[in-house]
Structure formats: structure tokens, C-alpha cells
Amino acid sequence: VDVIVYENDANQAQGTTFNQNANDKYIYQIGVTWTGWQLVSFNYSQFKVPNTGGGLGNNQLNPNRLCGMALELDSYPTQSFEVSAYVDMVVVTENGIFQK
């Protein structure tokens, strides 16, 4: 599962079309190696610049500029396998990890 976040480095007004050429995009990859439910937590500092379309804003992790998020499901390391995953809830926290 890829978690992709977008930062509004260009200070675009809310409701305008997001300019991917002036803002940052980062990715965090979660290798799903288990069956059943699993709580997954990670720090914003673990996001990396993706191979395509990243680092086009100020190229610095700025969680206070977070303006969007996407989830992507990939077949890895071998492509073309049928994969499935359920995401129950996404929670973004400040100053600490999610507490059950």
C-alpha cells in the first residue's frame, strides 16, 4: 500500500485546482506481509520523494502544509498479481502516535 501525501507549498487558495508542478508530493510504502487486521503507524519524517512528480515545491517535509492524501495498492515485487486490501480508518495526529 502506497500512502501519497501532497503539500501546498505554493499557498494555493482552497478550492483551486492543485498545481502538481509547484507543490510537493511524498510517498510512504507499506509492505503488507500479514493477513487480517493490523494497526500501522509511521512518522511523517519517513515519507520519501517518489520517482515521479516529487520535490517540485520547496522539497522539504512540511506537515503543516499537508493538503491531500491518496492510497494506492500495488502488486510488488512482481507486477500483475491480483491484490486486495481493506483500509478501515486513516488518522493523522500531531505530536505523537495514534493511541488505541
Side-chain angles (χ1 to χ4, degrees), residues 47-98:
F47 278 92
K48 304 292 182 202
V49 175
N51 293 333
T52 58
L56 300 174
N58 67 5
N59 206 21
Q60 297 176 356
L61 286 170
N62 300 113
N64 58 313
R65 294 185 177 273
L66 179 66
C67 67
M69 179 183 298
L71 301 176
E72 181 178 274
L73 186 59
D74 291 332
S75 173
Y76 180 83
T78 306
Q79 298 176 355
S80 302
F81 279 102
E82 183 175 327
V83 294
S84 65
Y86 294 103
V87 176
D88 184 35
M89 181 172 55
V90 175
V91 177
V92 178
T93 62
E94 291 183 85
N95 303 318
I97 62 171
F98 178 76

Side-chain angles (χ1 to χ4, degrees), residues 30-36 38:
I30 303 166
V32 180
T33 58
W34 64 88
T35 300
Q38 176 83 19

